[in-house]
């Protein structure tokens, strides 16, 4: 099976330069840190475009395919522009993500708004900006959206978010009739929702079913099972109500390689399973092939991103671990402290002495749990060295906080030996810009 870029640990342009320092996109990583400071998020444009090319080629044999990037994995104007240029639509989950793609000049018809508790304000923004599809998650939202659509004298195009009874935990999955999940309609609730739409909600137009079964998925069979369940439901709704649903959105979830142990499947393999399953189910249940929507997030943007940190203090616990502290941590990458996520890293600058030492990388935030990488082998890391952590493009900046009132990190885009700021560093003034002292305290 052809290899795809999401299976790589490092950006495709990463190499050792003549100086002995690492380079990405033709930019010396040490020079980048001198120019922009650390922590610094770096996005390699060539890797991002290569991942997009994999997806486009892999899915090209299914005629009606629509690629939607899951904005929640990384939402910035510049990356939205690149993904728009690559022909992607967007799966968005908040007013902020809607506004970002809107400002990036995205065709709003290619945007799907998704989420289990969208507010009236967010739905209003979606209607005003002409978001193409709203994935309705529950009965409350059906009613709210129909009322809103009525007040705008509009018909809103929707999907129903359903829980197909498949849940993935990366290396294993469970399949049950019902799932205890906060997202979507249980399969047993679909008929009630459909009847409400047909009989009462005349400002809603239902186009299809939407599901998302998990994230960092390594197994392909789950997609087969998910598609079979969705197609079976569509055929059943056709038979029972004469309803012709012609869209299925199967969500995202394809995994990436955070450490050498991880072996995510190729995009080409996933695409084959998805397309074959779809063709097979369509035949089995006797319906017209629907338009297929996929919404990858992590597998699009993760590999293109690295984070650069400067190493500062260190601590040798007597008879214990050696801790190396960096100038970032859980506020710029909360995944290790939130769910024990693992990462790989290297020293980016040339090291004379390359004898390996096992160390633990500690963040600078005031929590004992702020540990970025446990027990990693590095060539005698010391104060002033630059640490390059791989696969930080997804769910790092998008989950970042200002914990400890530390400014969020900058982000640069690199390509063909050029670097451009795409998120500028926050200033101290930015940090207090929304603070207000009530008059009575003055
Ligand atoms: C999070 C999410 C995605 C993207 O998941 P990845 O694992 O990043 O590919 C896609 N669709 C929905 C509905 C999601 O909630």
């Amino acid at each position: 099976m052809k290899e795809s870029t999401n299976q790589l640990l490092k950006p495709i342009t990463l190499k050792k330069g003549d100086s002995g320092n690492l380079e990405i996109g033709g930019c010396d990583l040490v020079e980048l840190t001198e120019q922009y400071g650390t922590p610094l998020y770096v996005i390699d444009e060539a890797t991002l475009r290569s991942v997009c090319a994999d997806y486009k080629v892999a899915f090209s044999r299914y005629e009606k395919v629509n690629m939607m990037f899951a904005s929640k994995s990384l939402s910035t104007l510049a990356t939205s522009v690149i993904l728009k240029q690559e022909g992607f639509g967007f799966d968005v989950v908040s007013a902020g993500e809607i506004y970002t793609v809107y400002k990036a000049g995205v065709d709003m018809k290619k945007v799907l708004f998704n989420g289990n508790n969208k507010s009236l304000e967010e739905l209003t923004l979606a209607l005003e900006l002409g978001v193409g599809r709203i994935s309705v998650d529950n009965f409350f939202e059906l009613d709210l959206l129909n009322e809103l659509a009525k007040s705008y004298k509009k018909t809103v195009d929707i999907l129903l978010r359903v829980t197909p009874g498949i849940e993935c935990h990366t290396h294993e999955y469970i399949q049950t009739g019902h799932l205890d999940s906060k997202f979507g309609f249980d399969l047993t609730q679909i008929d009630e929702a459909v009847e409400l739409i047909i009989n009462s909600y005349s400002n809603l137009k239902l186009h299809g079913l939407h599901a998302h079964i998990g994230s960092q998925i390594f197994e392909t069979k789950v997609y087969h099972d998910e598609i079979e369940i969705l197609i079976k439901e569509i055929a059943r709704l056709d038979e029972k109500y004469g309803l012709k649903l012609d869209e299925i959105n199967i969500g995202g979830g394809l995994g990436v390689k955070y450490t050498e142990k991880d072996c995510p499947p190729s995009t080409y393999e996933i695409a084959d399973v998805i397309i074959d399953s779809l063709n097979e189910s369509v035949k089995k249940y006797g319906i017209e092939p629907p338009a297929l929507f996929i919404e990858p997030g992590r597998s699009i943007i993760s590999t293109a991103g690295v984070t650069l940190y400067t190493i500062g203090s260190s601590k040798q616990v007597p008879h214990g671990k050696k801790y190396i502290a960096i100038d970032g941590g859980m506020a710029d990458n909360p995944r290790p402290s939130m769910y024990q996520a693992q990462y790989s890293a290297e020293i980016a600058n040339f090291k004379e002495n390359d004898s390996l030492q096992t160390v633990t990388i500690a963040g600078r935030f005031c929590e004992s749990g702020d540990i970025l990488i446990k027990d990693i082998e590095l060539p005698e890391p010391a104060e002033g060295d630059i640490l390059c952590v791989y696969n930080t493009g997804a769910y790092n900046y998008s989950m970042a906080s200002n914990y400890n009132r530390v400014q969020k990190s900058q982000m640069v885009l690199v390509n063909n030996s050029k670097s451009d700021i795409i998120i500028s560093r926050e200033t101290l003034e930015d940090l207090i810009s929304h603070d207000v002292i009530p008059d009575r305290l003055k």
Side-chain angles (χ1 to χ4, degrees):
M1 185 57 67
K2 195 172 158 198
E3 214 181 56
S4 59
T5 305
N6 73 298
Q7 297 180 290
L8 305 176
L9 184 61
K10 305 171 188 180
I12 59 173
T13 62
L14 182 110
K15 61 173 198 201
K16 202 163 234 168
D18 296 338
S19 63
N21 296 338
L22 295 180
E23 288 181 9
I24 296 177
C27 296
D28 182 301
L29 297 186
V30 176
E31 285 173 17
L32 286 180
T33 64
E34 285 162 1
Q35 189 175 351
Y36 302 105
T38 53
L40 181 67
Y41 296 112
V42 180
I43 300 285
D44 181 34
E45 187 175 336
T47 301
L48 175 52
R49 292 197 191 269
S50 158
V51 173
C52 294
D54 282 333
Y55 267 97
K56 283 188 277 190
V57 173
F59 281 91
S60 59
R61 111 182 130 85
Y62 194 77
E63 207 185 320
K64 293 180 280 184
V65 66
N66 301 273
M67 247 75 85
M68 317 281 277
F69 173 66
S71 277
K72 74 172 192 267
S73 60
L74 180 65
S75 176
T76 79
L77 289 173
T79 49
S80 301
V81 168
I82 293 173
L83 286 154
K84 175 186 78 168
Q85 290 171 351
E86 293 292 335
F88 276 70
F90 293 81
D91 162 60
V92 297
V93 294
S94 67
E97 288 184 8
I98 292 174
Y99 192 64
T100 303
V101 294
Y102 173 69
K103 283 293 194 177
V106 168
D107 174 2
M108 297 307 280
K109 283 199 213 63
K110 292 176 79 171
V111 176
L112 169 87
F113 186 24
N114 171 53
N116 71 312
N117 192 19
K118 308 172 188 81
S119 71
L120 185 59
E121 279 156 40
E122 288 174 314
L123 290 169
T124 304
L125 182 71
L127 252 64
E128 298 227 322
L129 296 183
V131 163
R133 291 282 180 280
I134 296 184
S135 177
V136 178
D137 189 275
N138 50 65
F139 290 108
F140 171 73
E141 188 186 339
L142 273 179
D143 196 52
L144 186 68
L145 187 60
N146 187 65
E147 284 306 309
L148 186 66
K150 211 189 283 173
S151 72
Y152 274 79
K153 299 191 172 49
K154 273 191 181 176
T155 301
V156 175
D157 298 305
I158 66 166
L159 303 178
L160 282 186
R161 171 77 183 261
V162 300
T163 311
I166 292 172
E167 192 173 28
C168 302
H169 306 280
T170 308
H171 293 289
E172 68 199 75
Y173 81 103
I174 48 172
Q175 195 179 348
T176 64
H178 312 263
L179 259 188
D180 187 7
S181 161
K182 75 170 185 176
F183 293 107
F185 294 92
D186 193 274
L187 290 182
T188 57
Q189 298 171 322
I190 294 182
D191 289 14
E192 188 185 343
V194 163
E195 285 166 24
L196 280 167
I197 294 166
I198 293 173
N199 300 324
S200 315
Y201 296 143
S202 53
N203 292 74
L204 303 181
K205 165 118 182 76
L206 179 61
H207 291 268
L209 301 181
H210 176 209
H212 170 73
I213 49 178
S215 205
Q216 186 60 352
I217 294 173
F218 282 27
E219 227 181 321
T220 55
K221 188 179 182 303
V222 287
Y223 289 104
H224 172 276
D225 293 356
E226 179 194 11
I227 289 166
E228 157 118 28
I229 290 167
L230 293 180
I231 294 296
K232 187 175 166 188
E233 283 302 310
I234 287 178
R236 194 182 62 73
L237 294 171
D238 186 7
E239 193 165 350
K240 187 165 173 187
Y241 302 105
L243 195 61
K244 305 285 178 208
L245 300 182
D246 56 4
E247 294 180 7
I248 72 165
N249 183 324
I250 61 168
L254 175 58
V256 298
K257 189 180 186 75
Y258 285 114
T259 67
E260 287 297 344
K261 296 197 302 285
D262 295 333
C263 295
S266 149
T267 309
Y268 297 92
E269 185 184 344
I270 289 278
D272 279 351
V273 169
I274 290 172
I275 296 168
D276 290 346
S277 309
L278 195 49
N279 289 335
E280 178 194 306
S281 297
V282 160
K283 213 188 235 169
K284 180 168 166 189
Y285 295 102
I287 64 164
E288 287 295 310
L292 170 68
F293 291 74
I294 57 166
E295 315 172 308
R298 187 191 313 273
S299 59
I300 298 280
I301 196 68
S302 180
T303 317
V306 305
T307 308
L308 304 178
Y309 301 98
T310 304
I311 292 175
S313 62
S314 60
K315 171 182 175 177
Q316 176 67 60
V317 177
H319 314 294
K321 277 189 197 307
K322 179 163 188 185
Y323 287 96
I324 299 288
I326 51 167
D327 54 356
M330 64 188 289
D332 59 79
N333 181 0
R335 297 186 67 255
S337 51
M338 264 175 75
Y339 21 71
Q340 284 79 50
Q342 298 191 339
Y343 282 89
S344 312
E346 273 184 290
I347 301 288
N349 47 289
F350 172 70
K351 293 285 278 188
E352 197 92 49
N353 180 352
D354 59 3
S355 61
L356 294 175
Q357 224 180 34
T358 301
V359 298
T360 286
I361 309 293
R364 52 85 37 99
F365 297 91
C366 298
E367 298 280 334
S368 298
D370 181 22
I371 299 293
L372 201 64
I373 304 178
K374 277 200 185 113
D375 298 329
I376 179 174
E377 283 199 327
L378 291 171
E380 303 214 353
E383 181 197 326
D385 282 342
I386 302 298
L387 188 74
C388 174
V389 178
Y390 294 113
N391 256 293
T392 62
Y395 303 110
N396 272 232
Y397 177 75
S398 69
M399 289 184 148
S401 74
N402 289 110
Y403 185 48
N404 289 182
R405 269 229 153 151
V406 172
Q407 299 106 295
K408 280 189 197 152
S409 307
Q410 274 188 122
M411 188 179 291
V412 296
L413 182 71
V414 295
N415 198 23
N416 292 329
S417 308
K418 282 213 239 355
S419 62
D420 295 289
I421 292 178
I422 59 171
I423 303 265
S424 62
R425 190 178 299 282
E426 290 175 343
T427 62
L428 293 175
E429 220 30 66
D430 287 334
L431 288 176
I432 58 163
S433 63
H434 294 271
D435 288 28
V436 178
I437 303 175
D439 279 343
R440 63 183 179 80
L441 296 182
K442 286 179 184 160

